[in-house]
Structure formats: C-alpha cells, structure tokens
Amino acid sequence: MSMSPTPLPAPHAGPAGPDGHEDGYRGPATLVIDGVEHPVSVLLRGHFQPIDGRYHWYGRLGADPELVERLGGGRVAAVLRTAEGEASGELSDPDPWHRYRITGTQAPPFRIAGPGPE
C-alpha cells in the first residue's frame, strides 16, 4: 500500500534572519537511498557557518509512515533532489510523528541568496 507524503505546515510570517532573509525551500522532493527513489515533501533551511567555513543545510521531511517502515531508525545517507538542485545528506531517526530530519554540509538542494558556498 503506497501512501502519499504528508505536506508540511505553512511557514510563519515575517523575516527569519537578521537581514530579513533565510535561505530555504519548501515543497516536493525526491529522496534517493541506495538507488531507490521515494517522493517526499520537505521544509529546508540553511546558512553559512563562518566557524568551519561551510554551508550547513537542514530540515524535515513530511510525515511518511511508509518511509519509516522501510528505513527504521538510525542514520542513513541519502541524496535529496528538489526542483532547484540535488545534494547528499544524512537522515537521522524519525520523530514520533514519522518525520525524518535531514542535514548536509555542502551546496544545498535549493538556491541560496547572495554569495554561494565555495
């Protein structure tokens, strides 16, 4: 039985960062794990971290019990594709609502404002 991913809630209104910008993406994506594609909805954000000189992106996948059943718990390497790009990341354990957190530390799978990571 295939279930559609649950959409994530709309963001709060107003600027997120001190300059009124926050890099990010909200919408459909494709999660690729061991060559198998899985449609997901995502809410992603990111920022440049001057301490380590890298761009850190992170976010949540929409609730997806089918994905939890397939992957179980633990960390899993994955590729995340959006309409704006593709990046490698890592999934962490799902929360009680079947939402995985994903993180990465290179060019994100979305466009960023201003100078990009090098």
Side-chain angles (χ1 to χ4, degrees), residues 30-40 66-67 70 79 81:
T30 301
L31 188 67
V32 183
I33 301 171
D34 295 329
V36 178
E37 295 184 356
H38 190 87
V40 293
E66 184 179 309
L67 188 61
R70 178 176 161 225
V79 171
R81 293 184 190 138

Side-chain angles (χ1 to χ4, degrees), residues 11-27:
H12 63 83
D19 60 359
H21 299 104
E22 184 168 294
D23 292 332
Y25 173 86
R26 171 187 310 279

Side-chain angles (χ1 to χ4, degrees), residues 31 42-47 54-61 74-80 86-93 99-110:
L31 188 67
V42 294
L43 172 58
L44 304 172
R45 303 232 187 290
H47 64 275
R54 300 190 311 183
Y55 190 89
H56 292 253
W57 61 271
Y58 48 88
R60 260 308 151 202
L61 277 58
R75 297 193 175 273
V76 177
V79 171
L80 186 63
E86 172 179 309
S88 295
E90 184 177 70
L91 297 176
S92 62
D93 290 326
R99 301 174 307 166
Y100 281 92
R101 180 163 171 79
I102 187 165
T103 59
T105 54
Q106 73 286 352
F110 53 84

